[in-house]
């Protein structure tokens, strides 16, 4: 099973932190898309939120919005 695992989220985060923000966000979004929605869970969404958290201030909202749209905003 491939998805947004901790190691893949680290890859996305490293891309973002090294200046490849769009590539890192796209990588995380593609990994979320690769996993059927019925297999998404709170941990997976938390990992995705952690990727978004490393995006530098001033990054175009459209870049961030693409990934955020894949993450439910309701948390328990």
């Amino acid at each position: 099973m491939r998805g947004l695992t901790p190691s893949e989220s680290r890859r996305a985060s490293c891309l973002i932190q090294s200046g490849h923000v769009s590539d890192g966000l796209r990588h995380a979004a593609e990994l979320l898309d690769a996993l059927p929605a019925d297999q998404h869970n709170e941990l997976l969404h938390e990992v995705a939120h952690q990727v978004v958290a490393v995006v530098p201030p001033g990054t175009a909202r459209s870049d961030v919005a693409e990934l955020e749209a894949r993450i439910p905003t309701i948390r328990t």
Side-chain angles (χ1 to χ4, degrees), residues 6-58:
S7 62
E8 289 294 341
S9 72
R10 270 193 300 280
R11 181 171 179 222
S13 294
C14 286
L15 283 166
I16 292 167
Q17 292 172 343
S18 67
H20 303 281
V21 177
S22 293
D23 292 336
L25 291 169
R26 186 172 27 260
H27 181 66
E30 289 171 354
L31 292 166
L32 279 173
D33 289 347
L35 193 61
D38 67 338
Q39 294 183 23
H40 287 202
N41 59 35
E42 189 174 326
L43 177 60
L44 179 72
H45 296 151
E46 183 58 36
V47 170
H49 282 289
Q50 291 171 4
V51 170
V52 170
V54 299
V55 174

